[in-house]
Amino acid sequence: MRTTPPTLLDGARVTMFANLALGQLPTGATRHSVGNFAEVVAHLAIARYDEAEADCYLFYCTGDWAVVTDTCHPTEAEAVAQAEFEFGRVAFVRMADSGGDPEA
C-alpha cells in the first residue's frame, strides 16, 4: 500500500492527505452510498481541480489511491473538519510544491 498519493487524483491537484490508522472506522455520522465504505477507504485527500477555484474536495480513497467518492467544501479547513467529523482524529500532511512529495 502506497502511503503518499500521486500529485493528481481524478484530475485534481492534491494539497493535503491523510492515511487512516489501521482499524480507524467511520464514526457513522455521515452516510455514504458506497456499500462497503468502511472496508474500502484507507486514505483521505484534499484537492482542487483549479488553483483559482475556491472549492476543494475531500476524496475518500482506496489503499492504492483510487477515488471511491468525494465531498465538496468551500475551504481546506472545512474539508478537514468534515474528515474529523467522519473519522475522529485525522492527521493531514500538506503536499510540498516540488514533485508532490509531502512535507513533514
Side-chain angles (χ1 to χ4, degrees):
M1 178 172 14
R2 183 177 174 181
T3 59
T4 59
T7 303
L8 297 175
L9 286 174
D10 195 39
R13 182 163 304 281
V14 176
T15 59
M16 301 172 73
F17 71 93
N19 298 307
L20 297 176
L22 188 61
Q24 186 172 7
L25 299 173
T27 61
T30 300
R31 187 176 271 231
H32 289 274
S33 61
V34 177
N36 57 347
F37 183 79
E39 294 84 31
V40 172
V41 175
H43 307 289
L44 303 173
I46 298 174
R48 285 195 168 90
Y49 283 99
D50 182 349
E51 289 184 28
E53 182 181 341
D55 290 340
C56 57
Y57 293 82
L58 173 60
F59 289 139
Y60 304 82
C61 302
T62 64
D64 62 355
W65 293 98
V67 176
V68 175
T69 190
D70 65 71
T71 55
C72 182
H73 304 274
T75 66
E76 284 182 344
E78 290 181 63
V80 169
Q82 180 65 33
E84 290 181 341
F85 177 71
E86 292 190 45
F87 291 94
R89 174 94 171 98
V90 178
F92 277 91
V93 176
R94 183 157 302 276
M95 295 289 283
D97 291 335
S98 60
D101 294 328
E103 293 179 358

